[in-house]
């Protein structure tokens, strides 16, 4: 992915090249809820690729790509969020009008994010493509699940003496075709929207064509983050840049759920989803910046707290999950389900974060039942808190170093389960202290 550009908004992310194109055959694409809904998105002017000039990002979810096509300056303003919006502008700086055929090559393979990362696309399920006026509609079905992608294109009419080029694209299989007439020292523009659907329900795009970008929810949320989080004043420019970069990166990792809560995802781009250990530790370290991140993270994890015993997903009553995924084929995921619980440290860390949040003066009463269930899970361990995966579909190692060869003895031999990690015993002790401190003055 070296040289690629990544835009991210919640569980949506787009990986493209420096001119804004998504090329087929690699990891580039537009991903929504762990599914690649655009696997090709390539702009051509008179059949030729645009020569890249530069690109710049105004926010984690927005970027502008500048390029050249003959005498035309090509500008692509892109925003992502439950879909994609691209505002395309051709600027003509010459003294006479210029005609150009503008095409966007489109494809949607609906590959799971894990398939793409592994480079092993399975091509199962049924995919259909249909044209509907100015729309290109891709639909995909796998067993009882479905995904959809709709590409809608419109353009401004160009009027010259005696000549009018009507707006909108001609939609052909896999391609949008615009006939652009760019006035002398003038501009031509088009706005293309990509919306998505899950199991027959459309997802409202964060950036719809024709609507003011400044009023979109991600923009307002980003502005609030920049306004409300602390800044620093320092004579050290390197420290200032580091702090501002960290603040911006943390802001880009925020994800929301249907209830409007905000949590911290594990990492961009492949881990823009809720994790146990990663989300909890990040929220803990970010408490000086924003306590609301901790509240949102705890709420989301509490909703998925283990209720039953399932050997495949390693769910157990009171246990906090390791990873949550939303793709169309859960068999690709750890444990074969959307939620996987194979982690030994997320459960005590959940309790620790509740305790620390209380010390910041935040009311944590809503979390205490979940804390007590988490402690009950800890008490199922006889002595040290240890792990051993339940099936061969689970993680061999279930702490911070969770690669298969990540935990070794001093002589280099791989540790064999059950494994009791030293830091997890510290987390468990801190969890009991946090609950005891909360119970002390209340006697509860």
């Amino acid at each position: 992915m070296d040289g690629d550009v990544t835009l991210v908004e919640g569980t949506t992310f787009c990986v493209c090249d420096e001119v804004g194109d998504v090329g087929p055959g690699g990891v580039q694409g537009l991903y929504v809820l762990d599914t690649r809904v655009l696997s090709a998105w390539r702009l051509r002017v008179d059949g030729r690729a645009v020569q890249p000039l530069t690109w710049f990002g105004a926010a984690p979810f927005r970027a502008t790509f500048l390029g050249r096509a003959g005498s035309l300056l090509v500008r692509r303003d892109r925003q992502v969020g439950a879909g994609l919006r691209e505002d395309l502008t051709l600027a003509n700086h010459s003294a006479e009008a210029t005609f150009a055929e503008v095409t966007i090559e489109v494809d949607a393979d609906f590959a799971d994010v894990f398939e793409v990362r592994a480079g092993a696309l399975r091509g199962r399920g049924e995919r259909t493509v249909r044209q509907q006026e100015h729309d290109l509609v891709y639909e995909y079905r796998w067993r009882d699940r479905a995904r959809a992608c709709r590409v809608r294109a419109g353009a401004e009419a160009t009027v010259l003496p005696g000549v009018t080029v009507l707006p909108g694209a001609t939609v052909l299989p896999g391609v949008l075709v615009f006939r652009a007439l760019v006035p002398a020292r003038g501009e031509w523009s088009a706005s293309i929207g990509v919306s998505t659907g899950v199991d027959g329900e459309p997802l409202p795009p964060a950036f719809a064509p024709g609507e003011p970008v400044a009023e979109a929810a991600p923009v307002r949320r980003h502005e609030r983050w920049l306004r409300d989080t602390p800044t620093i004043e320092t004579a050290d420019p390197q420290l200032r840049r580091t702090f501002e970069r960290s603040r911006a990166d943390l802001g880009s990792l925020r994800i929301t759920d249907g209830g409007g809560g905000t949590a911290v995802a594990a990492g961009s781009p492949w881990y823009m989803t809720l994790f146990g250990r990663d989300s909890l530790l990040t929220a803990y370290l970010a408490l000086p910046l924003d306590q609301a991140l901790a509240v949102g993270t705890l709420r989301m994890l509490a909703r998925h707290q283990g209720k039953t015993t399932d050997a495949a997903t390693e769910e157990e009553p009171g246990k906090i999950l390791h990873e949550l995924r939303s793709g169309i084929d859960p068999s690709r995921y750890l444990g074969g389900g959307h939620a996987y619980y194979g982690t030994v440290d997320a459960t005590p860390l959940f309790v620790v974060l509740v305790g620390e949040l209380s010390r910041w003066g935040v009311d944590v009463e809503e979390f205490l039942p979940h804390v007590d269930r988490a402690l009950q899970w800890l008490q199922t361990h006889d002595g040290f808190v240890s792990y051993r995966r339940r099936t061969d579909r689970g993680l061999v190692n279930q702490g911070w170093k969770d690669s298969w060869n990540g935990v070794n003895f001093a002589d280099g031999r791989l540790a064999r389960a059950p494994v009791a990690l030293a830091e997890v015993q510290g987390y468990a002790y801190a969890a009991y202290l946090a609950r005891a401190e909360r119970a002390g003055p209340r006697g509860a």
Side-chain angles (χ1 to χ4, degrees):
M1 293 178 60
D2 290 344
D4 284 344
V5 178
T6 300
L7 305 179
V8 61
E9 163 55 27
T11 56
T12 301
F13 66 91
C14 177
V15 182
C16 63
D17 64 18
E18 61 182 350
V19 77
D21 282 346
V22 169
V27 300
Q28 294 179 350
L30 175 68
Y31 297 78
V32 178
L33 294 172
D34 291 327
T35 301
R36 184 163 65 179
V37 295
L38 282 182
S39 53
W41 186 261
R42 299 195 296 181
L43 175 67
R44 298 292 183 265
V45 178
D46 291 330
R48 298 179 181 178
V50 174
Q51 177 187 352
L53 295 176
T54 188
W55 74 272
F56 52 90
F61 47 83
R62 299 175 63 183
T64 295
F65 302 89
L66 296 178
R68 284 185 56 192
S71 62
L72 298 173
L73 177 67
V74 180
R75 177 182 176 123
R76 305 168 76 175
D77 294 299
R78 180 176 300 169
Q79 300 89 20
V80 302
L84 176 148
R85 170 177 166 178
E86 181 150 310
D87 297 324
L88 173 64
T89 302
L90 304 184
N92 179 12
H93 297 286
S94 68
E96 60 179 351
T98 299
F99 176 82
E101 183 179 83
V102 179
T103 60
I104 297 180
E105 301 169 8
V106 185
D107 200 7
D109 63 2
F110 297 100
D112 186 271
V113 64
F114 277 64
E115 292 179 314
V116 177
R117 288 184 60 210
L121 305 187
R122 297 199 293 186
R124 71 281 184 270
E126 178 184 357
R127 192 190 75 149
T128 59
V129 185
R130 57 187 174 88
Q131 300 159 231
Q132 186 176 337
E133 296 183 351
H134 295 306
D135 294 0
L136 191 58
V137 182
Y138 292 83
E139 295 174 319
Y140 177 77
R141 182 167 294 278
W142 166 246
R143 295 178 178 170
D144 61 342
R145 301 180 179 90
R147 296 290 187 269
C149 172
R150 177 183 292 269
V151 182
R152 173 167 294 177
E156 293 184 0
T158 303
V159 181
L160 295 177
V163 180
T164 300
V165 178
L166 296 178
T170 300
V171 178
L172 303 173
V175 64
L176 308 176
V177 182
F178 296 94
R179 302 178 70 243
L181 183 60
V182 192
R185 295 185 173 86
E187 295 182 345
W188 171 93
S189 62
S191 186
I192 306 101
V194 178
S195 58
T196 57
V198 175
D199 295 334
E201 295 294 329
L203 298 178
F207 299 93
E211 296 183 1
V213 171
E215 296 179 8
V219 174
R220 297 197 304 268
R221 189 163 52 244
H222 182 66
E223 290 174 346
R224 284 197 303 269
W225 171 260
L226 296 179
R227 182 184 67 241
D228 297 342
T229 52
T231 58
I232 63 170
E233 294 183 6
T234 174
D236 186 336
Q238 184 173 353
L239 176 60
R240 183 174 60 254
R241 287 193 299 269
T242 300
F243 179 86
E244 291 301 325
R245 179 74 269 170
S246 300
R247 187 169 73 125
D249 288 347
L250 183 60
S252 70
L253 288 175
R254 294 172 300 155
I255 56 176
T256 60
D257 62 1
T262 302
V264 186
S268 171
W270 305 117
Y271 300 102
M272 288 304 298
T273 186
L274 183 67
F275 271 65
R277 171 181 58 250
D278 304 68
S279 297
L280 287 164
L281 286 174
T282 304
Y284 183 101
L285 294 172
L287 283 171
L289 279 177
D290 186 5
Q291 296 84 52
L293 286 177
V295 173
T297 299
L298 290 168
R299 283 177 178 163
M300 287 191 193
L301 289 171
R303 280 198 289 274
H304 296 281
Q305 189 173 22
K307 297 179 178 63
T308 186
T309 299
D310 186 325
T313 64
E314 306 203 41
E315 179 182 359
E316 296 173 3
K319 198 174 184 183
I320 299 300
L321 61 75
H322 169 68
E323 180 180 3
L324 187 66
R325 288 292 177 177
S326 307
I328 198 169
D329 183 6
S331 68
R332 297 288 305 177
Y333 305 139
L334 288 166
H338 290 295
Y340 175 64
Y341 290 80
T343 175
V344 73
D345 48 11
T347 306
L349 285 171
F350 179 93
V351 181
V352 170
L353 181 57
V354 172
E356 190 64 20
L357 191 61
S358 178
R359 297 187 187 101
W360 279 83
V362 178
D363 184 2
V364 297
E365 196 74 22
E366 65 177 290
F367 301 118
L368 294 186
H370 301 282
V371 164
D372 291 339
R373 287 198 287 272
L375 292 177
Q376 289 171 7
W377 178 83
L378 285 178
Q379 291 166 11
T380 63
H381 294 263
D382 184 14
F384 290 118
V385 181
S386 62
Y387 63 82
R388 181 201 297 270
R389 67 177 180 174
R390 303 285 297 278
T391 75
D392 60 359
R393 289 290 302 273
L395 289 172
V396 173
N397 289 309
Q398 298 188 356
W400 171 62
K401 295 190 290 185
D402 60 9
S403 58
W404 67 271
N405 59 350
V407 181
N408 310 80
F409 293 117
D411 61 4
R413 289 180 297 121
L414 295 179
R416 298 179 62 182
V419 175
L421 299 172
E423 70 269 18
V424 174
Q425 315 318 309
Y427 298 156
Y429 181 67
Y432 284 120
L433 287 181
R435 184 63 178 97
E437 180 178 302
R438 178 70 187 177
R442 298 177 57 89

